[in-house]
Amino acid sequence: MARRETALQTAHGRLRGLIGSEFRSGDKLPNERDLADRLEVSRATVREVLGQLVAEGVVTRTWGIGTFVHDSAERVPVSIGDVTALRDRITASGHRPTLQDAAVSRAKCPADCAKLLGLEPDSTVWRVDRLFAVDGVAAAWIRDHLPLRFDGRDLDPSGLVSIDLDMFEFLASATGMPVRRAEIELTAVLADEESTARLGVAAGHPLITGTQIGYGTDDAALFHGHITVRTDVLTLRISRGGDPSPAR
């Protein structure tokens, strides 16, 4: 029994060392067979050690998907129940938001948003790509589309490449119409090639993606976007209360 415990402790230490030297937070580990070969132990031993590491919070295991290195940093809770800038939600949680990457370009309007924005299929729209980081760690990738003009006004979203300007602030200033309501539909997904490149996670890493629509006065759609979130960095929280005060 003592020999078995020693073998488990040795395998435990070697696997923790392997994780610390060769893998980053969010990376997917090799399968049990490969780990057993590298550590020169049985698959049963690897399975038992991985169970210990799950209990210790070093890794997370998802049935049918794999084992991932857990992010030891504190997850940042952000509310999605109100119309507030993501930047401000992160700041309110006591953390530092930054833009790791941002770009504004003209592009063809995707089919799922052309009708919503009242545009012809394949119309040219503004596309705004922003990669938000929390305390230096990539956390959310947002791609928004908005019309070139709204209610006779030309829109110029180039200022959105700065963390100092948020989409809600920009639209209120540029259109004279604040975003009164935002709808978001969330789906659990696994990281694809583009998500891995943007967010720095391994292929197959669990993520949350959402489609967001911002509405102004009289339910006029102002923008249509997609957000992809690393839930090992951010947690999404929905708060529901009683009768809200009327918008002013």
Side-chain angles (χ1 to χ4, degrees):
M1 184 68 175
R3 180 178 297 177
R4 172 173 167 73
E5 290 298 323
T6 300
L8 282 173
Q9 291 171 2
T10 300
H12 181 279
R14 291 179 63 189
L15 185 51
R16 286 204 67 155
L18 179 66
I19 291 171
S21 62
E22 295 189 19
F23 298 91
R24 298 182 304 168
S25 296
D27 283 352
K28 183 178 181 180
L29 297 184
N31 60 38
E32 290 178 357
R33 180 182 292 107
D34 291 341
L35 287 174
D37 290 341
R38 294 192 63 175
L39 298 175
E40 299 179 335
V41 297
S42 68
R43 289 182 63 184
T45 297
V46 167
R47 191 175 301 117
E48 189 166 350
V49 171
L50 286 173
Q52 294 174 352
L53 294 180
V54 169
E56 294 168 8
V58 177
V59 300
T60 58
R61 308 199 78 182
T62 303
W63 180 259
I65 298 175
T67 304
F68 297 84
V69 180
H70 188 265
D71 189 349
S72 59
E74 175 190 1
R75 295 185 183 184
V76 180
V78 293
S79 172
I80 58 172
D82 52 13
V83 181
T84 308
L86 178 60
R87 172 201 65 207
D88 296 338
R89 298 173 196 171
I90 295 170
T91 301
S93 295
H95 295 266
R96 180 175 60 89
T98 55
L99 278 179
Q100 283 193 343
D101 190 26
V104 174
S105 60
R106 295 186 181 220
K108 287 187 177 181
C109 188
D112 60 347
C113 80
K115 183 177 180 180
L116 179 79
L117 296 178
L119 302 172
E120 294 296 325
D122 293 331
S123 294
T124 300
V125 293
W126 288 113
R127 185 171 77 185
V128 182
D129 275 295
R130 292 170 295 165
L131 178 61
F132 286 84
V134 176
D135 299 331
V137 179
W141 166 39
I142 303 178
R143 171 173 287 171
D144 291 314
H145 293 93
L146 54 156
L148 300 181
R149 294 173 57 83
F150 183 85
D151 197 24
R153 303 187 187 198
D154 290 330
L155 302 184
D156 178 9
S158 58
L160 289 169
V161 298
S162 168
I163 192 69
D164 295 327
L165 182 63
D166 177 76
M167 178 65 75
F168 298 144
E169 297 167 343
F170 164 72
L171 287 171
S173 174
T175 68
M177 182 185 299
V179 178
R180 299 288 189 184
R181 177 170 61 92
E183 293 182 354
I184 184 166
E185 182 176 313
L186 300 175
T187 306
V189 299
L190 301 179
D192 58 15
E193 184 176 349
E194 190 169 21
S195 296
T196 61
R198 295 277 184 171
L199 294 170
V201 296
H205 187 80
L207 302 169
I208 293 293
T209 185
T211 300
Q212 182 173 240
I213 305 166
Y215 295 94
T217 306
D218 298 326
D219 276 346
L222 299 174
F223 74 93
H224 178 278
H226 292 94
I227 179 172
T228 303
V229 175
R230 282 184 58 173
T231 54
D232 56 336
V233 179
L234 294 176
T235 56
L236 305 180
R237 180 178 61 209
I238 300 175
S239 300
R240 301 182 68 180
D243 295 334
S245 300
R248 285 183 276 200

